[in-house]
Amino acid sequence: MLVLCYHALSERFPAALSVMPAAFERQLAALKRSGYRGATFEEAVQARSGRVVAITFDDAFLSVLRIGKPLLDAVGYPATVYAPTAYLDNPEQPLKWDGIDQWHGGEHEHELLPMSWDQLGELADAGWEVGSHTHTHPHLSEVAADDALRAELVESKATVEQRLGRPCTTLAYPYGDYDERVVAAAGAAGYSAAGTLPARLHGVRALAWPRVGIYHVDDDRRFRLKVSRTMRRLRGSRFWRG
Ligand SMILES: [Zn+2]
């Protein structure tokens, strides 16, 4: 079971977090050829093993709907979108936080536009999962007050559930940043699984599930390597069933 983490898709956006549509299409074709079945993150963590791939998108960029959805439809894969809920009431405002704010004010600013709740609802109706990416996208391990940490997790879950009328059971930690206190808070907030972005695979478990980040620089060879290395290590881990 493989979980990939993407962000934006664009022909022209040179940011590390943006993948070219043609590259994404080739990556999906490679997964399909290798016999991977598509699943949401929630389903994939429940399945634990087997040739299952969960494609996840952090930040709810509009390009995921415009460019990603048709390419995923073509191979019959659903996906999971992680929504930073505080930002989505104003979808005409580009997303803004540490790490993407250097693209504000320039020719690529529009690449930072998020989806609206209606658009996320469309994806949910099509069988996609919409999970939480917290309320304001902080580094969770640096949120010192327990109340504030709880609010990030509880409010975003409640907002997704209220806006979309569906359960929100999984979470992606912003920046993949978490520690034991964050994992405990995520469990207490009612999440059944959460995705990280580790540099190396270790301690695989539902509330700290290692996702493989795919970025602008990942050509076909690097993509294949990342996938095969991850599958080998996962099979060697205790969490792998069967
Ligand atoms: Zn993010």
Tab-separated table of all heavy atoms in Angstrom, residues 21-61:
chain	number	residue	atom	x	y	z
A	21	PRO	N	1.678	18.579	-15.534
A	21	PRO	CA	0.590	17.648	-15.858
A	21	PRO	C	1.071	16.415	-16.632
A	21	PRO	O	0.627	15.295	-16.352
A	21	PRO	CB	-0.356	18.497	-16.721
A	21	PRO	CG	-0.078	19.909	-16.307
A	21	PRO	CD	1.365	19.964	-15.917
A	22	ALA	N	1.989	16.603	-17.576
A	22	ALA	CA	2.456	15.454	-18.380
A	22	ALA	C	3.212	14.448	-17.501
A	22	ALA	O	3.087	13.233	-17.683
A	22	ALA	CB	3.340	15.937	-19.520
A	23	ALA	N	3.978	14.966	-16.531
A	23	ALA	CA	4.702	14.075	-15.615
A	23	ALA	C	3.707	13.314	-14.744
A	23	ALA	O	3.836	12.099	-14.544
A	23	ALA	CB	5.666	14.887	-14.750
A	24	PHE	N	2.714	14.033	-14.229
A	24	PHE	CA	1.690	13.393	-13.386
A	24	PHE	C	0.970	12.288	-14.173
A	24	PHE	O	0.747	11.186	-13.667
A	24	PHE	CB	0.703	14.462	-12.910
A	24	PHE	CG	-0.360	13.956	-11.971
A	24	PHE	CD1	-0.010	13.365	-10.767
A	24	PHE	CD2	-1.706	14.067	-12.287
A	24	PHE	CE1	-0.992	12.898	-9.889
A	24	PHE	CE2	-2.695	13.606	-11.416
A	24	PHE	CZ	-2.332	13.020	-10.218
A	25	GLU	N	0.664	12.582	-15.425
A	25	GLU	CA	-0.026	11.601	-16.274
A	25	GLU	C	0.835	10.343	-16.468
A	25	GLU	O	0.342	9.218	-16.404
A	25	GLU	CB	-0.340	12.254	-17.631
A	25	GLU	CG	-1.265	11.437	-18.493
A	25	GLU	CD	-1.682	12.184	-19.759
A	25	GLU	OE1	-1.038	13.205	-20.109
A	25	GLU	OE2	-2.652	11.736	-20.391
A	26	ARG	N	2.140	10.538	-16.672
A	26	ARG	CA	3.032	9.385	-16.839
A	26	ARG	C	3.166	8.591	-15.539
A	26	ARG	O	3.250	7.370	-15.545
A	26	ARG	CB	4.427	9.846	-17.303
A	26	ARG	CG	4.502	10.266	-18.758
A	26	ARG	CD	5.950	10.329	-19.241
A	26	ARG	NE	6.784	11.189	-18.420
A	26	ARG	CZ	6.892	12.517	-18.576
A	26	ARG	NH1	6.229	13.128	-19.541
A	26	ARG	NH2	7.663	13.218	-17.780
A	27	GLN	N	3.166	9.310	-14.402
A	27	GLN	CA	3.259	8.627	-13.110
A	27	GLN	C	2.020	7.753	-12.869
A	27	GLN	O	2.129	6.611	-12.430
A	27	GLN	CB	3.423	9.670	-11.992
A	27	GLN	CG	4.787	10.360	-12.058
A	27	GLN	CD	4.840	11.691	-11.314
A	27	GLN	OE1	3.889	12.083	-10.632
A	27	GLN	NE2	5.937	12.405	-11.456
A	28	LEU	N	0.852	8.310	-13.205
A	28	LEU	CA	-0.382	7.526	-13.048
A	28	LEU	C	-0.365	6.308	-13.968
A	28	LEU	O	-0.756	5.205	-13.569
A	28	LEU	CB	-1.611	8.397	-13.356
A	28	LEU	CG	-1.905	9.531	-12.375
A	28	LEU	CD1	-3.098	10.359	-12.861
A	28	LEU	CD2	-2.175	8.993	-10.965
A	29	ALA	N	0.099	6.503	-15.194
A	29	ALA	CA	0.145	5.388	-16.153
A	29	ALA	C	1.083	4.297	-15.649
A	29	ALA	O	0.788	3.101	-15.776
A	29	ALA	CB	0.585	5.897	-17.522
A	30	ALA	N	2.206	4.694	-15.054
A	30	ALA	CA	3.166	3.720	-14.534
A	30	ALA	C	2.545	2.917	-13.384
A	30	ALA	O	2.724	1.697	-13.288
A	30	ALA	CB	4.436	4.421	-14.063
A	31	LEU	N	1.800	3.594	-12.511
A	31	LEU	CA	1.142	2.905	-11.392
A	31	LEU	C	0.102	1.921	-11.913
A	31	LEU	O	0.005	0.778	-11.460
A	31	LEU	CB	0.478	3.927	-10.458
A	31	LEU	CG	1.440	4.831	-9.682
A	31	LEU	CD1	0.685	6.014	-9.079
A	31	LEU	CD2	2.155	4.046	-8.584
A	32	LYS	N	-0.659	2.385	-12.894
A	32	LYS	CA	-1.720	1.558	-13.485
A	32	LYS	C	-1.104	0.303	-14.124
A	32	LYS	O	-1.581	-0.807	-13.913
A	32	LYS	CB	-2.457	2.408	-14.520
A	32	LYS	CG	-3.740	1.821	-15.036
A	32	LYS	CD	-4.883	2.070	-14.068
A	32	LYS	CE	-6.149	1.390	-14.556
A	32	LYS	NZ	-7.243	1.498	-13.588
A	33	ARG	N	-0.035	0.511	-14.902
A	33	ARG	CA	0.656	-0.611	-15.559
A	33	ARG	C	1.190	-1.614	-14.548
A	33	ARG	O	1.221	-2.808	-14.804
A	33	ARG	CB	1.852	-0.080	-16.367
A	33	ARG	CG	1.595	0.140	-17.841
A	33	ARG	CD	2.911	0.203	-18.631
A	33	ARG	NE	3.933	1.037	-18.017
A	33	ARG	CZ	4.016	2.367	-18.145
A	33	ARG	NH1	3.124	3.036	-18.872
A	33	ARG	NH2	4.979	3.052	-17.551
A	34	SER	N	1.624	-1.100	-13.380
A	34	SER	CA	2.167	-1.992	-12.347
A	34	SER	C	1.069	-2.669	-11.544
A	34	SER	O	1.359	-3.367	-10.569
A	34	SER	CB	3.064	-1.213	-11.394
A	34	SER	OG	4.080	-0.568	-12.110
A	35	GLY	N	-0.186	-2.413	-11.894
A	35	GLY	CA	-1.286	-3.135	-11.260
A	35	GLY	C	-1.829	-2.504	-9.992
A	35	GLY	O	-2.551	-3.148	-9.231
A	36	TYR	N	-1.488	-1.234	-9.748
A	36	TYR	CA	-2.017	-0.574	-8.553
A	36	TYR	C	-3.494	-0.237	-8.728
A	36	TYR	O	-3.909	0.266	-9.765
A	36	TYR	CB	-1.257	0.724	-8.257
A	36	TYR	CG	0.060	0.488	-7.570
A	36	TYR	CD1	1.221	0.340	-8.307
A	36	TYR	CD2	0.128	0.392	-6.186
A	36	TYR	CE1	2.439	0.107	-7.680
A	36	TYR	CE2	1.333	0.154	-5.551
A	36	TYR	CZ	2.483	0.022	-6.300
A	36	TYR	OH	3.670	-0.224	-5.677
A	37	ARG	N	-4.259	-0.509	-7.658
A	37	ARG	CA	-5.656	-0.109	-7.573
A	37	ARG	C	-5.694	1.222	-6.809
A	37	ARG	O	-4.964	1.398	-5.847
A	37	ARG	CB	-6.408	-1.200	-6.808
A	37	ARG	CG	-7.855	-0.963	-6.544
A	37	ARG	CD	-8.500	-2.251	-5.993
A	37	ARG	NE	-8.046	-2.601	-4.637
A	37	ARG	CZ	-8.487	-2.006	-3.533
A	37	ARG	NH1	-9.353	-1.013	-3.593
A	37	ARG	NH2	-8.047	-2.391	-2.338
A	38	GLY	N	-6.530	2.150	-7.248
A	38	GLY	CA	-6.624	3.449	-6.582
A	38	GLY	C	-7.570	3.394	-5.393
A	38	GLY	O	-8.565	2.672	-5.414
A	39	ALA	N	-7.256	4.159	-4.336
A	39	ALA	CA	-8.118	4.208	-3.155
A	39	ALA	C	-7.959	5.574	-2.502
A	39	ALA	O	-6.990	6.290	-2.762
A	39	ALA	CB	-7.733	3.117	-2.160
A	40	THR	N	-8.911	5.927	-1.646
A	40	THR	CA	-8.712	7.117	-0.821
A	40	THR	C	-7.710	6.761	0.276
A	40	THR	O	-7.433	5.578	0.523
A	40	THR	CB	-10.033	7.564	-0.167
A	40	THR	OG1	-10.483	6.528	0.710
A	40	THR	CG2	-11.100	7.866	-1.220
A	41	PHE	N	-7.203	7.781	0.946
A	41	PHE	CA	-6.240	7.531	2.032
A	41	PHE	C	-6.883	6.680	3.133
A	41	PHE	O	-6.284	5.724	3.619
A	41	PHE	CB	-5.750	8.865	2.601
A	41	PHE	CG	-4.766	8.737	3.729
A	41	PHE	CD1	-3.494	8.238	3.512
A	41	PHE	CD2	-5.105	9.126	5.023
A	41	PHE	CE1	-2.574	8.121	4.554
A	41	PHE	CE2	-4.200	9.017	6.075
A	41	PHE	CZ	-2.931	8.517	5.838
A	42	GLU	N	-8.123	7.025	3.495
A	42	GLU	CA	-8.815	6.276	4.544
A	42	GLU	C	-8.914	4.791	4.183
A	42	GLU	O	-8.610	3.915	4.992
A	42	GLU	CB	-10.213	6.865	4.764
A	42	GLU	CG	-10.956	6.226	5.917
A	42	GLU	CD	-12.428	6.644	5.979
A	42	GLU	OE1	-13.012	6.965	4.924
A	42	GLU	OE2	-12.986	6.635	7.094
A	43	GLU	N	-9.332	4.507	2.950
A	43	GLU	CA	-9.455	3.111	2.497
A	43	GLU	C	-8.091	2.418	2.470
A	43	GLU	O	-7.962	1.254	2.836
A	43	GLU	CB	-10.047	3.048	1.085
A	43	GLU	CG	-11.499	3.475	0.989
A	43	GLU	CD	-11.901	3.813	-0.451
A	43	GLU	OE1	-11.032	3.844	-1.358
A	43	GLU	OE2	-13.088	4.067	-0.664
A	44	ALA	N	-7.087	3.134	2.014
A	44	ALA	CA	-5.760	2.534	1.869
A	44	ALA	C	-5.195	2.137	3.228
A	44	ALA	O	-4.620	1.061	3.379
A	44	ALA	CB	-4.816	3.496	1.155
A	45	VAL	N	-5.344	2.998	4.236
A	45	VAL	CA	-4.821	2.671	5.566
A	45	VAL	C	-5.576	1.484	6.150
A	45	VAL	O	-4.993	0.636	6.829
A	45	VAL	CB	-4.874	3.904	6.510
A	45	VAL	CG1	-4.511	3.519	7.941
A	45	VAL	CG2	-3.926	4.990	6.010
A	46	GLN	N	-6.874	1.389	5.853
A	46	GLN	CA	-7.635	0.219	6.312
A	46	GLN	C	-7.164	-1.062	5.627
A	46	GLN	O	-7.070	-2.112	6.243
A	46	GLN	CB	-9.134	0.428	6.077
A	46	GLN	CG	-9.780	1.229	7.200
A	46	GLN	CD	-11.166	1.734	6.831
A	46	GLN	OE1	-11.738	1.325	5.826
A	46	GLN	NE2	-11.688	2.621	7.649
A	47	ALA	N	-6.849	-0.946	4.329
A	47	ALA	CA	-6.407	-2.119	3.567
A	47	ALA	C	-5.014	-2.556	4.022
A	47	ALA	O	-4.699	-3.735	4.032
A	47	ALA	CB	-6.394	-1.809	2.076
A	48	ARG	N	-4.181	-1.597	4.383
A	48	ARG	CA	-2.813	-1.813	4.884
A	48	ARG	C	-1.855	-2.428	3.870
A	48	ARG	O	-0.717	-2.033	3.791
A	48	ARG	CB	-2.793	-2.676	6.143
A	48	ARG	CG	-3.348	-1.939	7.335
A	48	ARG	CD	-2.872	-2.620	8.600
A	48	ARG	NE	-3.591	-2.087	9.749
A	48	ARG	CZ	-3.318	-2.410	10.988
A	48	ARG	NH1	-2.365	-3.268	11.254
A	48	ARG	NH2	-3.992	-1.876	11.976
A	49	SER	N	-2.262	-3.449	3.164
A	49	SER	CA	-1.300	-4.118	2.303
A	49	SER	C	-1.883	-4.269	0.902
A	49	SER	O	-3.010	-3.887	0.639
A	49	SER	CB	-0.937	-5.477	2.877
A	49	SER	OG	-2.108	-6.253	3.002
A	50	GLY	N	-1.097	-4.830	0.025
A	50	GLY	CA	-1.577	-5.057	-1.331
A	50	GLY	C	-1.164	-3.942	-2.266
A	50	GLY	O	-0.568	-2.943	-1.851
A	51	ARG	N	-1.462	-4.108	-3.535
A	51	ARG	CA	-1.103	-3.129	-4.550
A	51	ARG	C	-2.173	-2.059	-4.634
A	51	ARG	O	-2.952	-2.010	-5.572
A	51	ARG	CB	-0.904	-3.835	-5.889
A	51	ARG	CG	0.567	-4.054	-6.187
A	51	ARG	CD	0.781	-4.737	-7.487
A	51	ARG	NE	1.932	-4.231	-8.230
A	51	ARG	CZ	3.169	-4.140	-7.775
A	51	ARG	NH1	3.462	-4.436	-6.536
A	51	ARG	NH2	4.133	-3.692	-8.550
A	52	VAL	N	-2.180	-1.216	-3.607
A	52	VAL	CA	-3.160	-0.140	-3.507
A	52	VAL	C	-2.388	1.165	-3.460
A	52	VAL	O	-1.386	1.266	-2.761
A	52	VAL	CB	-4.006	-0.285	-2.219
A	52	VAL	CG1	-4.938	0.891	-2.043
A	52	VAL	CG2	-4.779	-1.596	-2.230
A	53	VAL	N	-2.843	2.171	-4.221
A	53	VAL	CA	-2.201	3.480	-4.140
A	53	VAL	C	-3.232	4.541	-3.759
A	53	VAL	O	-4.347	4.556	-4.283
A	53	VAL	CB	-1.491	3.867	-5.461
A	53	VAL	CG1	-2.462	4.006	-6.633
A	53	VAL	CG2	-0.696	5.165	-5.289
A	54	ALA	N	-2.856	5.374	-2.798
A	54	ALA	CA	-3.670	6.536	-2.448
A	54	ALA	C	-2.919	7.788	-2.913
A	54	ALA	O	-1.792	8.024	-2.473
A	54	ALA	CB	-3.927	6.594	-0.954
A	55	ILE	N	-3.549	8.521	-3.821
A	55	ILE	CA	-2.987	9.791	-4.267
A	55	ILE	C	-3.561	10.872	-3.359
A	55	ILE	O	-4.781	11.002	-3.268
A	55	ILE	CB	-3.405	10.096	-5.725
A	55	ILE	CG1	-3.113	8.906	-6.654
A	55	ILE	CG2	-2.805	11.407	-6.217
A	55	ILE	CD1	-1.702	8.765	-7.093
A	56	THR	N	-2.697	11.625	-2.676
A	56	THR	CA	-3.208	12.694	-1.810
A	56	THR	C	-2.661	14.044	-2.282
A	56	THR	O	-1.561	14.128	-2.840
A	56	THR	CB	-2.821	12.471	-0.330
A	56	THR	OG1	-1.404	12.639	-0.165
A	56	THR	CG2	-3.215	11.078	0.144
A	57	PHE	N	-3.471	15.077	-2.070
A	57	PHE	CA	-3.091	16.449	-2.450
A	57	PHE	C	-3.243	17.340	-1.228
A	57	PHE	O	-4.349	17.509	-0.714
A	57	PHE	CB	-4.006	16.987	-3.551
A	57	PHE	CG	-3.887	16.297	-4.878
A	57	PHE	CD1	-4.782	15.300	-5.245
A	57	PHE	CD2	-2.884	16.665	-5.776
A	57	PHE	CE1	-4.686	14.673	-6.482
A	57	PHE	CE2	-2.781	16.042	-7.016
A	57	PHE	CZ	-3.683	15.042	-7.370
A	58	ASP	N	-2.158	17.932	-0.768
A	58	ASP	CA	-2.238	18.874	0.348
A	58	ASP	C	-2.606	20.268	-0.172
A	58	ASP	O	-2.238	20.643	-1.299
A	58	ASP	CB	-0.873	18.966	1.054
A	58	ASP	CG	-0.594	17.728	1.911
A	58	ASP	OD1	-1.366	16.753	1.835
A	58	ASP	OD2	0.417	17.738	2.641
A	59	ASP	N	-3.304	21.020	0.662
A	59	ASP	CA	-3.567	22.458	0.468
A	59	ASP	C	-4.801	22.788	-0.369
A	59	ASP	O	-5.194	23.950	-0.436
A	59	ASP	CB	-2.357	23.209	-0.134
A	59	ASP	CG	-1.069	22.959	0.627
A	59	ASP	OD1	-1.147	22.643	1.830
A	59	ASP	OD2	0.007	23.068	0.020
A	60	ALA	N	-5.409	21.812	-1.073
A	60	ALA	CA	-6.649	22.067	-1.832
A	60	ALA	C	-6.489	23.103	-2.938
A	60	ALA	O	-7.371	23.939	-3.160
A	60	ALA	CB	-7.788	22.467	-0.879
A	61	PHE	N	-5.381	23.055	-3.656
A	61	PHE	CA	-5.193	23.970	-4.790
A	61	PHE	C	-6.239	23.702	-5.874
A	61	PHE	O	-6.591	22.545	-6.157
A	61	PHE	CB	-3.800	23.794	-5.402
A	61	PHE	CG	-2.685	24.317	-4.539
A	61	PHE	CD1	-1.780	23.450	-3.945
A	61	PHE	CD2	-2.542	25.676	-4.306
A	61	PHE	CE1	-0.753	23.928	-3.148
A	61	PHE	CE2	-1.520	26.171	-3.508
A	61	PHE	CZ	-0.619	25.286	-2.927
